[in-house]
Every structure is written in structure tokens, then in C-alpha cells.
């Protein structure tokens, strides 16, 4: 294996590539899908895309997306997909995805393997546990705002608020020591970077596994009331499975919500009428959260599947082995589902967006994420009614180099 091969982006190997006009944000439009994607959506809902020798079916319609995500013949196992096997040599594949690293990574599994893990976790993500966490979410949000206000303006909303809140909440849920936040945040950021090389990916994955392995063993020796202790105590999962599940929840539990809090605040500041409406009518918060999830669609690279058998989606015949990408930003702005879909309206009636996915892989922690966003946005606008950007909007650094979209920082003042 050549040095050049090892320097390739790990994301490039497992994530289908699309032309730049379908992925790159237009200057001055940080919240909108790429112009080419919007134009493509106007010419149907299922599209065959040829790019750099790769063939991908791109789904931009709401009904077609839900059909793909609910279809048992559409596999989530992108690690062992025909595309991955074609691009990754057996030697590198074994190095990137050894059995111990795949254990517990149920989002890349299909039934019945996925079903087993999902059932075990559903028993831990109970309504009671989510309800019991709500007061703690309020305490965490309040403490972060207190600290940010005491430090004074200007502040970086990402560093001082949007990232700490969900990180502390997921620590609380899993039983991770608060002092370890910086370590897993740094490792996670590297893993989600579109520029992380194969060697960097392996290094960061190994170190995250060591970190979580230490925690799992501590829970095995002395379980508590947290979710990870529940998995140790109440299931027959082995150590590799516990480590894999815990790392998956750790990464998903803070990165997505953190970016929604920061990018959502940026969107509200750039839509002052909506900002004022939500500040003056906090009872709209549940609608506002759903609208921001729809409007922003931070899973901007899309959700990938591959067909295990021939299947028809939206009139198109997807052949066995072919790759399908559900374009979440396009689907969530499908004109057949929403009036004026490119407008942000916090009082828009709740719809069936796919920001949390659909089908058996729908986000397990979505209710907790909703609680964090509802409390976070409500308290932020209540405590800082004069909040505004501290720099011009076009100087806010966007996370266009990451697989989860957002902002790297959000300088604000009040």
C-alpha cells in the first residue's frame, strides 16, 4: 500500500462522493442547500449521478426518501458495501474495520443484528430517564449562560455554550467524568473531519476505544445509575460491544446537538423577525425546534444506503449493489411537502422532516436532543434578548470541512 493511499481521506473511502455543485454552499447563503442541489430537486426526486467514475442515486424527494429509509432491501452497512469493497483493499479494510471496532456500531448494521442492539438500547432510553434528565439539562444550560455572561461579551457561542451543554448532558447520561470532555471532543472532531487521513482515523479511533474501554471496565467493577452502567448490568453485551455502543452514543450525543444549537442561533440572528417572535412567544419553542431541524439539516452530506436486491424507488430501478444517497437538505425542503420551504418560519406547523432519519435507524436520542434545544434556545433568548453577531455574517467560519455541518465558532455580543 502506497503512502499516497494512506494519506487519502478516510471519509472519502466510505462516503459516496458528489459533484461540488451539489454539496458546496453558495457564498452568503450558509443555511441553504447548494444551488445545484436545489436546481436538481426541481427536475424530479430520484437522480442518477456519475462523478469521478462513481455512480450514485441521489434522492431529493420526501416520499422517496422515506421509502428508501424504510426499505429492508436498502442496507446501512456502508463498511461492507460493494462500493467500499471496490475502493478499499482487503489489507486496508482489515486495518480500518477490525471486528473489535465494528462491534456495537449498530448504525452500520441491518436486521437482525441491528434489531438486537436497538432493542437493548430502547430499554435504556426510557421516557422516565429522559424526563429525569430534563431538570439537569436546565441546570447545565443555566450554569453555562451564567458563566458566559459573567465573563462578558464578546463570547464564542460554540465554545462557551453550544458545545458544553450537550457534552455535559451526554456525560451525565453515560456516566462519563466531566473532566474528560475536552479529550473526547477533540477526538470526535478529528473523526468527523473530511480531511482526516486513514492513518489519523485509525489513531483517533484506537485512542477513543482505549478511553471508553477504561470507563466500561470501571462500570463493570462499580456500576451506577447511568445508561452505560445499565447496559453493563442488564445485558449480555461483551466488552467490545459496550465500548462500541458507548462511543457511538458519545459522538452522536454531543456533536449533532452542539451544531444545531450554534447554527440555529446563527440562523435566528440572521432572521431577526423570527428571533423576536420566538423571544416574545416562548410557547412556540417546540415548533421552532422542528422548523430549525428542517431548515438547517446539518446532516448535509446525506444518508447513504446500498441496495441488496433490485428495488424501485420513485419509478427508478435501483440495481443490487448500487449506492443511494438521501439528500437530507433537499428532502427537508421538498416543495410538495412545505409551503415556501426555503423560508424559516418558527411558527410553521410541525411536519414530517427527516432530520432524525426514518425507519429502523431513526435517531434513538431524538427526544433528548429536542429537550436540549428547547431549553437552550429558550433560555438563551430570555437571558440575552439583545444577542447579536460580533462579526459580519460572512466572517463566521462554517464547518464545510466536516461531515456534520455547522459553524466552527460564533462570535456574539449583547
Amino acid at each position: 500500500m502506497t503512502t499516497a493511499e494512506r494519506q487519502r481521506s478516510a471519509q472519502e473511502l466510505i462516503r459516496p462522493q458528489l459533484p461540488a455543485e451539489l454539496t458546496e454552499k453558495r457564498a452568503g447563503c450558509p443555511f441553504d442547500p447548494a444551488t445545484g442541489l436545489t436546481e436538481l430537486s426541481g427536475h424530479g426526486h430520484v437522480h442518477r449521478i456519475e462523478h469521478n467514475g462513481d455512480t450514485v442515486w441521489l434522492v431529493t424527494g420526501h416520499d422517496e426518501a422515506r421509502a428508501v429509509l424504510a426499505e429492508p432491501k436498502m442496507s446501512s452497512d456502508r463498511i461492507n458495501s460493494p462500493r467500499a469493497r471496490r475502493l478499499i483493499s482487503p489489507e486496508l479494510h482489515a486495518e480500518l474495520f477490525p471486528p473489535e471496532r465494528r462491534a456495537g456500531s449498530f448504525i452500520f448494521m441491518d436486521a437482525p443484528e441491528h434489531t438486537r442492539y436497538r432493542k437493548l438500547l430502547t430499554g435504556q432510553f426510557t421516557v422516565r430517564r429522559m424526563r429525569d434528565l430534563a431538570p439537569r439539562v436546565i441546570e447545565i444550560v443555566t450554569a453555562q449562560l451564567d458563566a458566559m455572561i459573567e465573563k462578558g461579551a464578546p463570547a464564542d457561542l460554540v465554545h462557551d455554550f453550544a458545545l458544553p451543554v450537550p457534552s455535559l448532558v451526554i456525560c451525565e447520561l453515560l456516566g462519563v467524568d466531566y473532566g474528560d470532555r475536552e479529550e473526547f471532543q477533540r477526538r470526535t472532531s478529528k473523526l468527523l473531519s473530511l480531511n482526516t487521513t486513514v492513518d489519523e482515523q485509525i489513531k483517533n479511533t484506537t485512542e477513543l476505544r482505549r478511553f471508553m474501554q477504561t470507563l466500561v471496565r470501571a462500570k463493570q467493577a462499580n456500576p451506577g445509575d447511568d445508561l452505560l452502567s445499565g447496559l453493563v448490568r442488564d445485558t449480555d453485551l461483551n466488552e467490545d460491544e459496550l465500548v462500541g455502543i458507548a462511543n457511538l452514543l458519545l459522538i452522536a450525543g454531543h456533536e449533532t446537538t452542539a451544531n444545531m444549537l450554534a447554527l440555529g442561533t446563527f440562523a435566528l440572528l440572521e432572521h431577526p423577525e423570527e428571533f423576536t417572535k420566538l423571544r416574545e412567544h416562548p410557547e412556540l419553542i417546540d415548533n421552532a425546534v422542528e422548523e430549525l431541524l428542517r431548515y438547517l439539516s446539518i446532516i448535509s452530506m446525506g444518508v447513504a444506503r446500498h441496495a441488496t436486491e433490485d428495488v424501485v424507488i420513485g419509478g427508478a430501478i435501483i440495481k443490487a449493489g448500487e449506492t443511494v444517497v438521501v439528500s437530507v437538505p433537499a428532502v427537508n425542503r421538498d416543495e410538495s411537502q412545505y409551503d415556501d420551504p426555503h423560508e424559516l418560519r418558527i411558527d410553521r406547523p410541525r411536519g414530517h422532516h427527516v432530520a432524525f432519519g426514518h425507519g429502523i435507524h431513526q435517531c434513538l436520542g431524538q427526544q433528548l436532543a429536542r429537550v436540549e434545544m428547547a431549553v437552550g434556545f429558550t433560555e438563551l433568548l430570555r437571558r440575552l434578548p439583545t444577542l447579536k453577531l460580533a462579526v459580519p455574517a460572512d466572517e463566521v467560519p462554517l464547518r464545510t470541512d466536516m461531515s456534520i455541518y455547522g459553524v466552527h465558532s460564533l462570535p456574539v455580543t449583547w
Side-chain angles (χ1 to χ4, degrees):
M1 189 182 309
T2 68
T3 301
E5 286 176 314
R6 300 194 68 87
Q7 289 299 311
R8 291 178 67 184
S9 163
Q11 293 283 353
E12 180 184 346
L13 293 176
I14 62 174
R15 188 178 296 278
Q17 304 299 298
L18 294 169
E21 63 268 20
L22 300 181
T23 59
E24 292 183 358
K25 299 285 184 180
R26 184 160 47 97
C29 300
F31 315 117
D32 294 337
T35 302
L37 186 59
T38 301
E39 293 174 352
L40 188 68
S41 299
H43 298 284
H45 289 164
V46 182
H47 315 269
R48 187 179 178 91
I49 307 295
E50 306 279 350
H51 180 61
N52 290 342
D54 213 358
T55 300
V56 173
W57 288 94
L58 187 66
V59 175
T60 60
H62 180 272
D63 292 343
E64 293 79 6
R66 288 167 69 91
V68 168
L69 297 175
E71 173 56 64
K73 296 175 186 175
M74 287 292 177
S75 173
S76 298
D77 187 2
R78 67 184 186 188
I79 292 171
N80 286 312
S81 69
R83 180 183 181 278
R85 291 295 187 183
R86 185 177 72 253
L87 291 178
I88 307 174
S89 68
E91 176 190 6
L92 182 56
H93 196 281
E95 193 174 355
L96 271 171
F97 311 117
E100 64 272 16
R101 286 186 189 162
R102 291 211 62 212
S105 296
F106 61 95
I107 63 170
F108 301 129
M109 297 176 183
D110 304 318
E113 193 178 20
H114 168 271
T115 309
R116 170 180 170 250
Y117 290 116
R118 180 85 180 198
K119 185 176 180 180
L120 292 174
L121 281 164
T122 300
Q124 296 297 325
F125 276 85
T126 61
V127 173
R128 181 187 63 81
R129 176 170 266 144
M130 297 304 105
R131 184 177 63 242
D132 290 348
L133 266 175
R136 185 68 183 119
V137 172
I138 294 171
E139 289 177 2
I140 288 170
V141 166
T142 299
Q144 290 303 133
L145 285 174
D146 286 346
M148 188 172 79
I149 292 169
E150 182 179 355
K151 189 171 70 172
D156 174 8
L157 197 80
V158 172
H159 179 272
D160 295 329
F161 181 72
L163 186 55
V165 166
S167 295
L168 289 168
V169 172
I170 200 64
C171 284
E172 188 90 8
L173 182 66
L174 291 177
V176 177
D177 190 282
Y178 290 169
D180 291 326
R181 285 187 300 125
E182 287 192 9
E183 178 178 349
F184 71 68
Q185 287 169 0
R186 179 168 50 85
R187 299 289 177 208
T188 297
S189 180
K190 281 284 188 181
L191 288 175
L192 296 176
S193 171
L194 299 177
N195 301 317
T196 299
T197 65
V198 168
D199 285 337
E200 289 171 332
Q201 182 90 353
I202 293 171
K203 179 175 183 289
N204 278 285
T205 301
T206 300
E207 291 178 353
L208 257 180
R209 282 188 53 78
R210 286 198 194 114
F211 165 77
M212 193 55 72
Q213 188 176 55
T214 300
L215 180 63
V216 165
R217 290 175 179 175
K219 301 298 181 185
Q220 289 170 327
N222 187 26
D225 295 328
D226 53 85
L227 186 149
L228 185 54
S229 292
L231 290 173
V232 167
R233 183 177 53 246
D234 303 334
T235 72
D236 61 354
L237 296 170
N238 63 38
E239 184 177 277
D240 285 336
E241 291 174 313
L242 288 166
V243 167
I245 287 173
N247 267 330
L248 189 62
L249 295 177
L250 187 70
I251 294 170
H254 80 273
E255 272 286 344
T256 49
T257 307
N259 283 289
M260 273 303 306
L261 284 169
L263 190 64
T265 301
F266 185 20
L268 288 170
L269 291 174
E270 287 297 282
H271 295 80
E273 290 184 2
E274 301 303 299
F275 181 99
T276 301
K277 190 187 301 179
L278 182 56
R279 190 191 67 219
E280 294 179 351
H281 299 280
E283 69 275 9
L284 290 173
I285 187 58
D286 289 341
N287 282 73
V289 166
E290 300 304 316
E291 174 67 350
L292 287 166
L293 285 163
R294 179 201 72 83
Y295 181 72
L296 297 174
S297 299
I298 60 172
I299 309 300
S300 60
M301 305 297 290
V303 178
R305 296 285 189 268
H306 71 269
T308 57
E309 302 176 31
D310 291 1
V311 60
V312 178
I313 300 292
I317 301 174
I318 314 295
K319 296 289 188 182
E322 292 187 324
T323 299
V324 178
V325 174
V326 173
S327 175
V328 178
V331 170
N332 280 343
R333 297 199 182 190
D334 184 349
E335 293 185 353
S336 69
Q337 294 293 316
Y338 305 98
D339 294 331
D340 299 321
H342 298 293
E343 298 295 322
L344 175 66
R345 296 178 181 170
I346 65 158
D347 54 357
R348 186 191 296 272
R350 294 176 67 163
H352 298 288
H353 62 70
V354 294
F356 287 120
H358 178 66
I360 65 171
H361 285 281
Q362 193 170 33
C363 177
L364 194 62
Q366 61 182 286
Q367 298 309 326
L368 179 58
R370 286 184 168 103
V371 170
E372 293 175 81
M373 285 185 277
V375 174
F377 289 129
T378 298
E379 290 303 301
L380 184 66
L381 271 61
R382 184 182 70 83
R383 298 281 300 277
L384 297 172
T386 60
L387 189 71
K388 60 184 179 181
L389 291 178
V391 298
D394 60 4
E395 292 183 15
V396 173
L398 306 175
R399 282 172 52 113
T400 53
D401 58 337
M402 308 292 283
S403 58
I404 297 177
Y405 183 61
V407 293
H408 284 294
S409 66
L410 189 67
V412 293
T413 188
W414 53 88

